Amino acid sequence: MAKEYFFDEADRTNAFITRLDVAMYEETGGPLEGKGIAVKDNISTAGIPTTCASRILAGYVPPFDAHVITRLREAGAAIVGKTNMDEFGMGTTTENSAYGPTTNPHDASRVPGGSSGGSAAAVGAGMVDMALGSDTGGSIRCPAAFCGIVGLKPTFGRVSRYGLIAYSNSLEQIGPLGRTVTDVNILMSAIAGPDPRDSTAYDRPYAHTLSGDIAGMKIAVPDEFFGEGVDPAVAECVRTAIGKLEDAGAETMPCSIPSMAYALAAYYVTCTSEASSNLSRFDGVRFGPSVETKRSWHDEFRDHRGALFGKEVQRRIMLGTFALSAGYYGKYYAKAQVARENVRKDFLRIFREADLIAGPTMPQIAFKLGEKSEPLSMYLADILTVPANLAGVPAISVPCGTVEKMPVGLQLIGRHFEDERVVDAAFAYETEVL
């Protein structure tokens, strides 16, 4: 039987693009029955506008639900709205949105992180208990760290991407955000599972009971996670948090990830190349509003995309198209894939001795609005999160203290399909400090 969920929370942070004042849910007896869930605006929802925070998709209403939305509805959840984001997931601040920036619930002069900033702000501000985001290079973990909540990027393939509007399909993954590790565990249980419509989705359901027992667990701490570019105050806060894990019985060991020197370059060549292909479908014929023009198809194609794509999206399409062009493919894209494989091998080498890798989620606290106006400066902020996406391993960000009264995130990274161990370690830390 369908019931009504009334959603009347004030949106002080511009977290939502679309809100449903009355959302429907079914009495299924599921773990999320009667819970209001916010969903990032790049995940398809039948009957609810889905724009990817872009003018090029204005007015688009999907005729189908993404696989994760179907599973949420089966678990009894009420979808209360679609959250703001960097356009097509391209950004680290949620300032690159056609619907205006989202602000941080802890300080309105700062960003919430990106690109799932709207989802994180909605949870951080107490509007909803849980939300879905997507993580291409840290887009769940970064806003979770900046907003003081928990965010999990699952193993690539653990959650179906069917219905996620593709930006960089070999890197991105849908994942849960919540106020606590328990919330994230419940939401992960609801969305993970096989899907015949996504050939990259594994048949590895997630049904996990949290355990805070990490006695004997070996945690590697890479030197590179505390090196150049990491705020000393953030580093100290995270080292203290790792000490709490030792207090809970874990053993720590130093390690090195030499391939991190090339990880960021490999990530941006890969994601922009895939973006140049994935976004080619937005040509003014099948989606979105039209642009007044009566010229040749090529000129109209250029005018349409130039008028409706944001600057950051246009920049990444140009970079990716250049990297894939004749004469440059081997020089850029092929080398990026070699560097990506080296990152994966470094993780596998460390995981032969250690169960987890720990370090800061972000190298500094939330930026001021407009602080990262120079693209390269914004790209460098992703240095600690992109390696997990390149390797396809699970990673979580859990709040571990404050610097200048702003939240800091502890990042825990695990082996492929050991999402449960990552979540347990985060739960152990959360239990230790509460």
Side-chain angles (χ1 to χ4, degrees), residues 326-341:
Y328 293 100
Y329 176 89
K331 189 175 182 181
Y332 295 108
Y333 187 79
K335 285 187 176 179
Q337 301 320 299
V338 173
R340 181 177 183 174
E341 178 62 15

Side-chain angles (χ1 to χ4, degrees), residues 18 20 44-50 59-66 69 73 82:
T18 302
L20 300 180
S44 296
T45 43
I48 306 173
T50 300
Y60 172 62
V61 180
F64 68 100
D65 276 332
I69 301 300
R73 295 193 195 281
K82 307 299 289 292

Side-chain angles (χ1 to χ4, degrees), residues 343-402:
V343 171
R344 194 180 74 87
K345 288 178 177 177
D346 267 349
F347 274 100
L348 294 178
R349 172 179 54 79
I350 293 170
F351 285 137
R352 282 198 288 269
E353 297 182 41
D355 300 301
L356 293 175
I357 294 172
T361 305
M362 295 299 290
Q364 60 190 94
I365 59 173
F367 322 126
K368 292 281 188 180
L369 288 163
E371 181 180 339
K372 297 292 181 183
S373 57
E374 199 275 314
L376 183 58
S377 173
M378 183 174 69
Y379 298 166
L380 289 172
D382 297 335
I383 183 63
L384 302 180
T385 51
V386 298
N389 297 81
L390 292 170
V393 293
I396 195 169
S397 179
V398 59
C400 69
T402 60

Side-chain angles (χ1 to χ4, degrees), residues 4 47 117 162 211 256 267 282 292 349 363 396 413:
E4 294 179 333
Y162 175 78
S211 169
S256 178
Y267 168 76
F282 303 112
E292 287 297 327
R349 172 179 54 79
I396 195 169
I413 305 171

